[in-house]
Amino acid sequence: MNQIENIYFFVMLVSVIITIISLRYAITIKRYLERFTLVSKKVSNKELHARLNISAKGELGELTNNFNSMIENMSDTIEEVEYKHLQLKSILKSISHGILAIDINGNILLINDEAKKIIKSDSNQIVEGKNIAYAIKEEKILKVISKFRGSNTNETTKIIMDDETVYKIKVDPVYLQNTVNVIIGSIINIEDITEKVKLENMRSDFVANVTHELKTPLTSISGFVETLKLNENIDPSTRSRFLGIIESESDRLKRLIDDILLLSSIENTESRVLEKINLYNTFNEVKEMLSFIAKSKDIEFKYEFEDESLCVESNRDYIKQVFLNLTENAIKYTPDHGEVKVIVSSNDEDIFINVIDNGIGIPKDDIQRIFERFYRVDKARSRDVGGTGLGLAITKHIIKSLHGKIEVKSELNKGSEFIVTIPKKIS
Ligand code: ADP
């Protein structure tokens, strides 16, 4: 009986021990699962620094290590992807063109801010994932992109918007990696070329104008030379009249070529040599040159310098050219017995040159255009007074290169005032 009791007691003891061990194990597993749940929750909330902090041995220990190194790998990968995404976003943002990537169905995969502006989409709105048909609010752009979407060749086209903005749209196919014929979408590059087109047009207009301006005196010269050659017995007075015309047309050609060269040199000078130019001395050189024509027209030529030591940082000859063009125009376009006045003053930052006349004045509609190359209010009059139509264009370019500005006040038959403002120091 005693032996049976002992066995019974032993079985009971073993059962209790097993139960205790099982309970402890169950509690450990429960705690582990609780921590596991907590950490995995943190990880899913993007708290990638969270780790399982359990010192367990055996399979639990291995599971902990595997779990931690899985989070570590994931965190590294996410960091790398985020960095690459940020890099891509920064690159896209810094591209001045509009960039748009779409899939084969026209859904937007990627877009930069410039492209968003161009397609008139709301800048706060997320357009990634949307179809171009809904995202692109500019009808003309949508038409071009829809036409070339999925094309297997590089397509380029130019479109002019209603507000006269000109866009160059380039659509390139995107191939599936390692294939040459499976197209998965397109990359669209939209460039605003309005200024470029304007410049190209200006350049070709300029060439056409120059050709025309040079052709007129040349035709006249060759005509009179031909006449003189064919009529050897021409009377001396007619001969000298013809030679006089040839001489004045040659002078005109020379003036034109000089002005064209000067204009192009101002436009092309990138590294300008700046010196301190004394305004009073420079003006005096111009006054010497112009006094004769002023006197011949009995024009009162006055000037006023607030400070004769006033200097401006400029290129050699630029300030002289400004004085010369404006004062010569004032004298040219003022009838006999008129008055021309040059006033030079300054404040702490700027120099002001005012050239005032009481001449023919400029019609309101022409004021904005007189700075254009070869623009003349009255072509015949300008030609009669030896004008090339380039003087004010040259003046404006010089003033622009000195970071200044030029304004005009004028009233027809009353007179004009040109006001030049140039900073004393050019930074
Ligand atoms: P131009 O060689 O014909 O004088 P500019 O470029 O110097 O060319 O001037 C352009 C045009 O502006 C002139 O043809 C003239 O019609 C007008 N203009 C310029 N200055 C004056 C002025 N002081 N008074 C009236 N018209 C002027």
Side-chain angles (χ1 to χ4, degrees):
M1 186 66 195
N2 214 358
Q3 210 173 355
I4 291 173
E5 263 178 19
N6 278 347
I7 291 170
Y8 189 69
F9 177 74
F10 182 72
V11 170
M12 281 287 287
L13 191 71
V14 170
S15 305
V16 168
I17 290 171
I18 288 173
T19 311
I20 289 171
I21 291 173
S22 303
L23 262 172
R24 274 198 60 184
Y25 198 68
I27 288 167
T28 312
I29 295 241
K30 189 175 173 271
R31 263 196 218 136
Y32 178 84
L33 281 176
E34 274 169 6
R35 296 245 187 107
F36 187 88
T37 314
L38 189 78
V39 173
S40 46
K41 245 187 203 161
K42 280 187 176 176
V43 172
S44 67
N45 280 338
K46 290 191 184 156
E47 290 177 47
L48 295 172
H49 57 273
R51 295 287 182 276
L52 258 184
N53 241 337
I54 296 168
S55 53
K57 285 190 192 112
E59 283 171 341
L60 265 186
E62 207 173 312
L63 189 62
T64 309
N65 287 341
N66 287 347
F67 185 69
N68 281 341
S69 71
M70 189 187 78
I71 302 173
E72 191 127 1
N73 284 342
M74 214 164 76
S75 151
D76 287 350
T77 314
I78 289 176
E79 213 171 277
E80 202 181 311
V81 170
E82 275 180 349
Y83 178 67
K84 287 221 166 111
H85 182 66
L86 195 74
Q87 236 180 359
L88 184 67
K89 262 177 99 171
S90 315
I91 292 170
L92 277 178
K93 212 178 168 82
S94 60
I95 297 175
S96 55
H97 301 178
I99 303 284
L100 195 75
I102 55 172
D103 68 13
I104 199 78
N105 299 315
N107 297 319
I108 297 175
L109 306 171
L110 205 97
I111 185 166
N112 70 350
D113 290 351
E114 189 56 31
K116 271 188 178 181
K117 243 191 271 164
I118 294 172
I119 64 167
K120 296 262 160 66
S121 114
D122 189 347
S123 61
N124 303 317
Q125 211 182 342
I126 294 171
V127 285
E128 282 92 341
K130 279 196 180 171
N131 195 276
I132 47 170
Y134 302 104
I136 300 180
K137 303 279 188 290
E138 280 289 357
E139 208 47 51
K140 286 185 182 173
I141 296 178
L142 177 62
K143 225 174 174 178
V144 172
I145 298 180
S146 306
K147 184 177 162 196
F148 296 135
R149 170 170 67 89
S151 161
N152 58 357
T153 50
N154 309 82
E155 309 280 357
T156 306
T157 193
K158 237 195 263 173
I159 54 167
I160 303 170
M161 309 303 288
D162 296 339
D163 63 357
E164 293 189 354
T165 308
V166 188
Y167 288 124
K168 182 170 136 191
I169 303 183
K170 198 164 173 272
V171 184
D172 295 313
V174 179
Y175 293 99
L176 183 69
Q177 213 174 11
N178 301 330
T179 69
V180 280
N181 49 11
V182 185
I183 295 165
I184 54 167
S186 312
I187 286 275
I188 299 129
N189 182 334
I190 312 173
E191 185 187 355
D192 183 344
I193 54 165
T194 317
E195 281 307 307
K196 228 192 241 173
V197 170
K198 237 188 232 170
L199 272 176
E200 269 166 24
N201 290 344
M202 260 171 70
R203 209 160 284 155
S204 65
D205 282 355
F206 183 60
V207 172
N209 280 329
V210 166
T211 317
H212 175 76
E213 295 287 336
L214 293 178
K215 218 174 144 191
T216 320
L218 269 175
T219 313
S220 164
I221 291 170
S222 66
F224 282 106
V225 168
E226 194 70 9
T227 316
L228 285 173
K229 259 173 72 184
L230 291 176
N231 304 288
E232 279 179 10
N233 301 326
I234 210 158
D235 69 275
S237 73
T238 315
R239 188 186 189 81
S240 86
R241 194 166 57 85
F242 283 5
L243 284 173
I245 295 171
I246 292 172
E247 191 182 21
S248 81
E249 291 292 4
S250 308
D251 284 348
R252 186 172 153 64
L253 259 184
K254 190 179 170 305
R255 271 199 311 276
L256 262 168
I257 291 166
D258 284 348
D259 276 0
I260 291 165
L261 289 177
L262 180 62
L263 192 61
S264 103
S265 94
I266 300 164
E267 278 180 335
N268 296 328
T269 315
E270 289 205 339
S271 53
R272 288 169 290 120
V273 186
L274 300 176
E275 313 167 42
K276 266 192 178 294
I277 307 288
N278 178 283
L279 289 160
Y280 184 68
N281 295 344
T282 313
F283 171 73
N284 267 310
E285 287 175 36
V286 172
K287 197 185 84 186
E288 300 262 300
M289 292 164 75
L290 298 177
S291 295
F292 179 73
I293 55 161
K295 218 176 249 167
S296 70
K297 289 179 78 179
D298 188 30
I299 284 177
E300 200 177 343
F301 188 6
K302 293 190 200 162
Y303 56 92
E304 220 176 272
F305 274 73
E306 180 195 84
D307 175 3
E308 288 180 11
S309 66
L310 210 56
C311 286
V312 65
E313 258 189 41
S314 163
N315 264 36
R316 175 166 281 289
D317 295 337
Y318 273 17
I319 291 295
K320 188 170 170 183
Q321 199 67 48
V322 170
F323 273 131
L324 184 68
N325 290 353
L326 294 180
T327 319
E328 193 179 16
N329 274 352
I331 297 172
K332 275 189 328 194
Y333 299 109
T334 295
D336 291 1
H337 321 299
E339 191 182 297
V340 169
K341 192 170 181 181
V342 176
I343 303 171
V344 176
S345 57
S346 71
N347 63 16
D348 284 348
E349 290 103 39
D350 299 312
I351 305 266
F352 306 102
I353 301 172
N354 296 45
V355 181
I356 310 155
D357 66 61
N358 61 355
I360 60 169
I362 305 161
K364 235 189 196 139
D365 291 345
D366 296 286
I367 287 189
Q368 286 312 312
R369 302 201 58 192
I370 55 171
F371 295 99
E372 289 174 19
R373 296 148 189 208
F374 298 114
Y375 189 83
R376 285 162 283 200
V377 176
D378 180 342
K379 262 197 168 192
R381 188 172 208 146
S382 159
R383 197 159 290 161
D384 287 348
V385 291
T388 60
L390 289 174
L392 286 180
I394 291 171
T395 307
K396 190 175 176 180
H397 265 82
I398 290 178
I399 293 165
K400 201 173 146 204
S401 81
L402 299 174
H403 306 293
K405 60 175 183 177
I406 181 162
E407 292 155 295
V408 195
K409 288 181 200 160
S410 187
E411 212 175 311
L412 208 54
N413 300 322
K414 288 225 165 121
S416 312
E417 178 173 3
F418 286 77
I419 307 138
V420 175
T421 311
I422 308 172
K424 279 183 176 167
K425 262 195 176 304
I426 297 161
S427 47

